[in-house]
Every structure is written in C-alpha cells, then in structure tokens.
Amino acid sequence: MPATVIPAEQRLLQGNVACAEGALAAGCSFFAGYPITPATEIAEHLARELPPRDGVFIQMEDEIASVAAIIGASWTGAKVMTATSGPGLSLMQENLGYAVGTETPCVIVDVQRGGPSTGIPAVPSQSDMVQVARGSHGDYETVAFAPSSAQEMFDLTVRAFDTAERLRTPVFLLADAAVGHMREIVTMPAQACAGVNRRVASVADNGAARFLDEQVAPMPLFGRGLKAHVTGSCHDEAGMRNVVDAEALDHYVRRLSGKIRRVRDDLVEVASGDTEDAEIILVGWGLVGRAAQAIATRARQQGQRVGWVRPITVWPFADVELVSLCREAKRVLVLENNMGQMLPYVQAAVGRYSEVDGLSPRILGALHRPTDVLEAMAA
Amino acid sequence: MTTTTATHPMAKYLRPGSEVTTFCPGCGDGVIAHSVLRAIDADGADMDDFVFVCGIGCAGWIPSPYFNADTLHTTHGRTLAFATGVKLAKPQTQVVVISGDGDLTAIGGNHLIHAARRDLDLTVICVNNRIYGMTGGQVAPTTPEGVKTATTPYGAEGRPFDLCRLVEAAGASYVARWTTAQPRFITRSVQRGMAHKGFAFIEVMTQCPVQFGKLSGEGSAVHMHEIMADRSVTLRQAEALDPADLPDKWVVGELVGATNVGKD
C-alpha cells in the first residue's frame, strides 16, 4: 500500500489518533489488536481508516494473537503495527522475542498505565521502560522511542516504522496514558512520508544470507518462490535450525544484538537545553521530560543554573549522550513517573562524574509538582 | 557393478538436505507428511503458492524444515494466530497449518475456537497422538481417561476433547477425522480442505509408539495401527451402534461440510 498523502495542515488531535495517523503516513497496511485502556483509540481509528485504504484491521482474541498476526502479515511484506498497554504487553512478550529472533519488522505501541497487574487503566505511568527491553526471555536488544506530545506521537510512529523496516526488528513506541489521551495541535507533513522499505531477498541472490547479517539481511518474504524457512529456534544465515551447537547460539545471539548495537548512534536521539553551565540537570523521558524542561526553564528564570535532558530514544540507552551533556554538572536529578526505572542506567553512565539521584512524583501516576522538584534541587 | 537409487515420488517436494528426519521409529508423522504431499501432487499445485505454518512439538517438524516451501515455524500454541495474519495480509496464499494436538488445542485452544469462528480460509491438519511426545510423554487434553503418563502417574483425569465436535460448534465449515491407518482418505480430505473456502479442520489420529504406545499399553506402531483401524467407524456405522459403545470408537470421515466442498 503506498504511503498516504496528507495535506499540509495543522489538526487538533488526540495523541493516540496522532499515532494512528502517523502509522498511516508511514505506510502501515495491517493492524491487529485487542481493546485495552488507554490505547484503544489507536485501534478504533485504524479500524475506520485502514479498510478504505485496502489495508487490514482485525481485532484478535487476545494480545498474544495480535502480535502473532502482525508477525505473520509482516512476512507477506505488509508494514504492521499493534497497540496495547502494560497487561497486553506482558502477554505479548514471548512473540516479541520471536519477532526479534526471526528479524520481523513490526511496530508495537505501548500506552503505559499504572501497574503492576490490572492496576489503574487510565492513570499515566512510565513503568514499562524496562519491560520493553528485557521482558522477553533470552539476550536481545530493542529499540524504543518515547513521545512527549501529540506531535511526537505522530513523528515517532513514523520513525518507528522506518526503523523497524531498516533493521528488521520490532520497534516500540513507549507513550504514557497522558500523552495518548492529550489533545494538541499536530502539524501533518505536506507530502507523503518518504518511507523506508525493508530490503527484500530475490531468487537471484540464492545463497546470500537471509538472516543474521549485522548489515541487515534482505528479507525472504513469503510468496516469492524463496522457500523461506522462518523459525524462532536458533538458526543460521539461511534460517535453518541448529538446536545442537552452543556456537550456533553464540552466533545467533551476537548477530541479532550486533545488528542493533552497530547503529546505536543513529538510533539515539536526545533533546536537551541549558546544560552547558548547569550545576543541576533534570533528566526525564516522555511527558515527564517535558515537565523537566518546564521546571528547568522556571529555575533559570529564578537565577539557578539548571539544565534539562530528555532522552527521546529510550532504547538503546543514551548513556554516551548523557555523559557528554551531564559530566560537568554537580548533580543530575532523574524525574520519572515510576519508582526509578531509568535511574540505575543514568547512575551507571553518569555516576562517576556527578551525583545522581531520582525523584518520583509525590503521587505516582500524577505529574511532578514543580515546587516539589525545586525543593528537591535545593536539598 | 552398478547401483541404482530409487527416488521417492514425493522427494521433489522436500527441502534439499532434509532427507533424514527427526521422527522416532514407528512415528505416524511420516505417513501424514506423505499424505499431505500426495494431496498437493494430485492437485498439481505449486509449492510456491503455499505457506505452511506450524507450532512447537513433533508435528511442527512435518513441514519445517522438510517441505520445500515458505514455512513459518511459530511459538508454541500460536500457530493459528500467525496463520491468520498471513492469510489476511495475502489472501491468495494457500495457508496450511500442520501441528499437534497439544499445540493447537491445549496452549492454542483459544486461537483454535476463534479461527474456527471466523471461518477463515485455512486448512488445518491437527496431528493427534494423544500425548506430549517431544517432551517425553506428558498428559494432553486428548489423552484418554485413566492413561498413566509422565505427569499423570495415577491416571489421566477428565474426558479428552472431541476436537471435531469442538471446532464444528465453534464454526468450522469443513471437518474431517481420519487415522494414519487410512492415508488415502487423509489425502482426499486435505485436497477437499484446500479446495474449501473456509476453515477446514482435519484431525488425524496417529500413533506415537515411543510415548503413548509405551505408556498406554497399546504397544508398537503395528499394534497401534491395528487398534486405530479397529476403532474407526463411519458416521453410518456409528448411528447403528449402541451409544454406550461409542466412547471406545472414533468416528472417521467427513463430519461437516462434505457437500460444500469446492463451493464459495
């Protein structure tokens, strides 16, 4: 399906709808999902918008089936997406590992809610950060982007598709309930997104690697006479199973991770401001990162030397960038709407240069009060 | 002296380099692989028009890696959900699912009833050996009551699934049951299932002498074949039987949709 041409315009959109529009702009032609608050609006929008574009929408029997269906569809060449929240993400984990292992491009949107377990469906949270990277069993690397606005719900969804296609891997959009549900002006692109398309194997290149190439092997899509052998078992460059040799497993794991690690600099994007002379730097991601920026700006106006950093790419982790931005600061204060999921990673990166501590909001699920952050900075 | 090597008539459908299988001596999976390939051969079908989807367990290895076609060997139990994605995204593909009773009906039971309910155009061959073979002989939802397995040392409890009735109730529009003692009928049903526009479910009762035969006392593959042949009754024979005798029988044949085959 060709990428959708969207006239240049500014529209007031809910974050989840902006995400769905971003998917359409990126060329998404297949969505499978299961209703869950606070992500359901993405499915509802695509249920309306995909069929008129000859795309497929299907509501599956659960989230396990949803991610299975998008993986199956991706192997026919479709650009695919599902959207869920924490409980659904938990159910998806095994098949997400399968997508990693089989190098299947797909986009997974997680509009986070408060947990553990059923928790509270519509209260914002940032508590799935580690799960998207480490939730499935085995060693693997993942890519995740964290939007802080409706605009970024659109832009980063497009980027997630392009990244998934380029790297043949699942890519996550890690929003929280407030970003999914907020309504803001979104500027739509004047033209169709250029759109990255996966490289596809051909009969002529028979013998060339179809898996486990750190440069990303062309994908042997179904229906092209390529006799693709796709398995979640340990396999070689031809996709053929080897469930006997530890060396084969070593090769399998290293190549899959290496494929992501070698382009980590291209993947990692960080927004920041006022860090050059800052004594204190506020670090936050997603919506909290936006609050960190606002609080730092207010502190500047009050004469304090405060800067801010907002990792837009959550995985791979922005350790090098954080060191570069924060090493001269006396103190780094990590703001998160959780009990401290990014904090250990910031400490590991910056802790040898600066004092690093974290601050959860006074009430988990609510945003940080600026006065609480200003008080913590004064402490 | 010259030697000649006979080539199996179905060898042309096998992935090069996969002549040696992992199936145990006496396993029925070879008969089922053969029966499916015979159906494709009889139809003059092109393997490049197929995607074979399978799950985890012995039967998942029938198409993957042995069939020389696009194969999607999925996670345990999710076979039909993956197949649904393939079929919906590329409807012209002939999607054939081959997997075991544990994969399709225990861990994958939810996907089974929903795929049947949607009546999506899939051909599903459920290889029912009544036990978990690959993991060493544990109870399955298809294990007969009382059979002592590795995880039911005091005997299996509860009635086994009647899978054909289950998928019929869920909405499957073609349902057949055969045993590996009737390979030509398996072939015919696979042909009909592939021609049928809708959810075609073909249950193949098969012998697992290494696990089920040993644990149940049904014994060797040969003996298990004799038992399967004795136990098989047609629908018409079943109607004539005393209902009290039915639980010991397997009703074989085209149970649903025999007259719809080939119609849109």
Side-chain angles (χ1 to χ4, degrees):
Chain A
M1 192 175 79
T4 309
V5 178
I6 299 172
E9 62 175 328
Q10 292 195 316
R11 290 165 64 185
L12 179 66
L13 292 183
Q14 190 202 50
N16 281 340
V17 173
C19 168
E21 284 289 332
L24 294 170
C28 176
S29 65
F30 191 103
F31 181 98
Y34 187 84
I36 188 167
T37 305
T40 307
E41 294 87 355
I42 298 169
E44 290 175 348
H45 193 75
L46 291 172
R48 280 191 300 273
E49 297 297 329
L50 275 171
R53 293 167 162 85
D54 293 328
V56 175
F57 172 90
I58 184 167
Q59 181 172 317
M60 295 298 286
E61 54 271 22
D62 58 30
E63 288 89 345
I64 300 171
S66 300
V67 74
I70 66 168
I71 293 169
S74 186
W75 274 93
T76 71
K79 292 187 179 181
V80 300
M81 183 169 94
T82 187
T84 188
S85 189
L89 187 72
S90 296
L91 285 175
M92 290 181 181
Q93 290 298 337
E94 187 192 12
N95 283 343
L96 291 172
Y98 182 88
V100 169
T102 55
E103 303 182 66
T104 305
C106 53
V107 173
I108 297 93
V109 182
D110 174 20
V111 188
Q112 300 160 97
R113 58 194 243 178
S117 192
T118 308
I120 301 186
V123 162
S125 173
Q126 299 188 302
S127 47
D128 296 340
M129 177 192 152
V130 176
Q131 195 193 5
V132 298
R134 296 287 176 262
S136 196
H137 56 278
D139 270 332
Y140 63 101
E141 294 287 336
T142 200
V143 182
F145 301 117
S148 67
S149 63
Q151 182 70 53
E152 284 188 346
M153 285 292 271
F154 183 95
D155 295 340
L156 293 177
T157 300
V158 174
R159 187 166 175 199
F161 272 95
D162 289 351
T163 306
E165 292 289 313
R166 184 177 289 118
L167 296 177
R168 268 185 72 182
T169 199
V171 175
F172 294 88
L173 191 75
L174 199 50
D176 77 29
V179 177
H181 281 161
M182 65 168 54
R183 284 174 168 78
E184 289 186 304
I185 297 292
V186 176
T187 303
M188 307 298 235
Q191 297 178 340
C193 300
V196 175
N197 293 307
R198 68 194 72 175
R199 290 197 304 141
V200 180
S202 67
V203 176
D205 70 8
N206 197 18
R210 292 170 175 181
F211 296 91
L212 303 186
D213 182 348
E214 290 197 356
Q215 310 289 329
V216 187
M219 190 167 170
L221 293 179
F222 291 161
R224 303 189 181 208
L226 296 169
K227 321 282 191 191
H229 187 264
V230 184
T231 175
S233 292
C234 176
H235 50 262
D236 62 17
E237 279 81 353
M240 299 309 292
R241 226 180 336 254
N242 184 333
V243 291
V244 181
D245 301 324
E247 282 182 14
L249 182 73
D250 177 272
H251 187 70
Y252 172 64
V253 172
R254 286 185 195 276
R255 286 295 178 94
L256 290 175
S257 292
K259 183 177 72 171
I260 311 292
R261 289 182 179 183
R262 63 176 284 279
V263 295
R264 132 329 136 213
D265 289 352
D266 298 333
L267 295 170
V268 175
E269 183 181 358
V270 174
S272 64
D274 292 332
T275 56
E276 295 80 8
D277 64 341
E279 291 182 347
I280 298 178
I281 292 178
L282 301 178
V283 175
W285 57 283
L287 189 62
V288 179
R290 203 166 151 182
Q293 177 181 357
I295 295 165
T297 304
R298 185 190 292 190
R300 276 276 164 187
Q301 287 163 354
Q302 293 171 358
Q304 299 183 63
R305 285 157 61 185
V306 179
W308 61 276
V309 176
R310 176 169 69 87
I312 293 170
T313 307
V314 174
W315 301 110
F317 187 62
D319 48 5
V320 177
E321 292 74 11
L322 279 163
V323 168
S324 168
L325 291 164
C326 300
R327 63 182 298 161
E328 304 299 333
K330 286 182 185 156
R331 187 174 166 207
V332 172
L333 183 59
V334 182
L335 309 180
E336 294 182 86
N337 198 351
N338 58 40
M339 295 290 283
Q341 295 209 6
M342 186 178 276
L343 178 62
Y345 294 91
V346 181
Q347 283 172 328
V350 186
R352 79 190 78 163
Y353 307 107
S354 316
E355 179 193 337
V356 179
D357 54 356
L359 183 69
S360 304
R362 184 179 295 201
I363 297 171
L364 285 170
L367 272 180
H368 294 72
R369 290 186 193 177
T371 49
D372 289 348
V373 179
L374 294 168
E375 269 177 36
M377 291 194 307
Chain B
M1 198 177 85
T2 57
T3 54
T4 53
T5 309
T7 304
H8 193 285
M10 296 301 115
K12 59 191 174 188
Y13 299 112
L14 298 181
R15 196 179 286 275
S18 63
E19 290 79 6
V20 178
T21 79
T22 51
F23 303 134
C24 301
C27 176
D29 283 0
V31 172
I32 296 164
H34 192 166
S35 303
V36 174
L37 293 175
R38 285 269 184 203
I40 290 163
D41 194 59
D43 284 350
D46 184 346
M47 287 291 263
D48 287 342
D49 294 334
F50 285 80
V51 173
F52 293 93
V53 187
C54 56
I56 302 300
C58 302
W61 288 62
I62 291 175
S64 164
Y66 305 122
F67 287 7
N68 197 24
D70 291 331
T71 54
L72 184 64
H73 202 147
T74 72
T75 50
H76 192 27
R78 315 307 166 195
T79 318
L80 283 166
F82 281 89
T84 298
V86 173
K87 185 67 186 181
L88 287 175
K90 199 160 189 175
Q92 67 271 36
T93 309
Q94 184 74 262
V95 179
V96 176
V97 172
I98 306 177
S99 216
D101 52 306
D103 186 77
L104 288 171
T105 81
I107 185 169
N110 194 31
H111 310 306
L112 177 68
I113 57 173
H114 284 274
R117 179 185 66 81
R118 291 187 191 102
D119 203 18
L120 193 65
D121 186 14
L122 303 172
T123 303
V124 180
I125 296 144
C126 178
V127 178
N128 186 354
N129 62 1
R130 297 176 286 158
I131 202 150
Y132 285 84
M134 186 175 273
T135 47
Q138 295 82 21
V139 70
T142 45
T143 305
E145 258 183 305
V147 172
K148 291 178 180 174
T149 73
T151 48
T152 53
Y154 307 107
E157 293 179 358
R159 285 172 295 177
F161 269 141
D162 183 331
L163 295 174
C164 289
R165 287 174 63 198
L166 176 70
V167 296
E168 178 188 358
S173 48
Y174 178 84
V175 180
R177 180 190 287 122
W178 300 105
T179 79
T180 50
Q182 298 117 8
R184 290 180 190 279
F185 290 98
I186 301 172
T187 294
R188 193 180 71 175
S189 271
V190 172
Q191 284 180 271
R192 293 197 172 197
M194 293 191 306
H196 176 69
K197 301 297 178 197
F199 191 81
F201 183 85
I202 301 150
E203 180 182 21
V204 181
M205 309 303 297
T206 186
Q207 75 278 12
C208 172
V210 171
Q211 303 296 351
F212 190 87
K214 184 176 67 181
L215 292 163
S216 67
E218 289 191 8
S220 69
V222 172
H223 191 227
M224 292 184 80
H225 255 245
E226 290 167 357
I227 291 174
M228 287 195 291
D230 286 347
R231 195 172 282 164
S232 298
V233 294
T234 64
L235 271 172
R236 190 171 295 170
Q237 288 169 332
E239 284 166 8
L241 280 174
D242 183 338
D245 294 335
L246 266 181
D248 296 328
K249 299 295 183 187
W250 292 337
V251 181
V252 299
E254 291 177 312
L255 307 177
V256 176
T259 57
N260 296 333
V261 169
K263 294 181 184 171
D264 280 352

